[in-house]
Amino acid sequence: PKLNERGEQVTEYGFGLAVPKSALQQTGPGQPGEVWAAMYQEAMALYPSGQIPPSFAMKYKDGDGIDDQGVPFAQREGYAGHIVLACTTNIPIKFFKWENGRNEIINEGIKCGDYVNVQLNVKAHGAIGQGKPGLYLNPYAVQFLGYGKEIINAPSGDQIFGNQAPPIP
């Protein structure tokens, strides 16, 4: 487990946010292109020459690219045609749903594959010589927009425990 400076285990919250590549051209306030531009603006703050090194952790995967094992990301549900942002934080994320004319806090109901708005804090870190440089893509809040095709990215219960009733001790 990861530990903080006091030796306590760190809890991390995170998810992948798939953004259609075509939406990255939408640059108005709150649009996907605004986040994309902010990511590059932050990276350029560390590299004003405009030469971002390949080792810089931009915190996204090109859904049409290939992973470290040579497997196309497009084989994974929800990746093809998208940029997938790696959103993580150590602070519990607040979730909302628009109901009755206002944003209501919800504690369940959003599943992998649903449509959401995400409020992100984008910040570059790690100047040269201070660890691996990259971006923080910290989600503050998530707003549920609508149901999408559920994406299962873990083994099913049957795959883990088998498909027969378990023996009772």
Side-chain angles (χ1 to χ4, degrees):
K2 288 184 180 179
L3 304 177
N4 64 19
E5 60 279 352
R6 296 183 302 275
E8 302 162 336
Q9 186 171 341
V10 174
T11 300
E12 188 171 84
Y13 306 90
F15 54 89
L17 180 64
V19 179
K21 289 181 180 181
S22 60
L24 297 177
Q25 305 307 314
Q26 301 167 6
T27 57
Q31 296 298 314
E34 181 185 37
V35 173
W36 191 246
M39 290 169 61
Y40 278 89
Q41 183 178 357
E42 280 293 314
M44 294 298 183
L46 291 181
Y47 302 98
S49 69
Q51 299 298 316
I52 301 171
S55 62
F56 186 79
M58 286 294 290
K59 300 295 172 61
Y60 76 86
K61 297 195 182 329
D62 180 343
D64 298 318
I66 297 175
D67 70 13
D68 295 340
Q69 277 72 50
V71 178
F73 286 117
Q75 290 182 3
R76 300 177 190 174
E77 186 72 36
Y79 275 70
H82 293 81
I83 294 294
V84 181
L85 305 177
C87 305
T88 60
T89 182
N90 292 337
I91 301 168
I93 304 166
K94 292 188 188 292
F95 298 92
F96 297 89
K97 182 177 183 181
W98 182 259
E99 290 184 322
N100 305 317
R102 59 184 276 198
N103 283 296
E104 302 280 346
I105 290 181
I106 58 174
N107 294 316
E108 58 185 40
I110 300 176
K111 63 184 180 339
C112 187
D114 286 344
Y115 296 93
V116 296
N117 275 333
V118 179
Q119 182 186 30
L120 284 174
N121 179 36
V122 179
K123 187 71 178 155
H125 65 85
I128 298 170
Q130 298 177 350
K132 182 174 178 158
L135 292 178
Y136 292 123
L137 298 181
N138 301 126
Y140 285 141
V142 174
Q143 180 190 42
F144 174 79
L145 297 177
Y147 298 104
K149 180 182 177 199
E150 184 171 12
I151 297 173
I152 307 295
N153 53 13
S156 71
D158 286 349
Q159 290 171 315
I160 296 169
F161 298 109
N163 57 6
Q164 295 182 2
I168 304 299

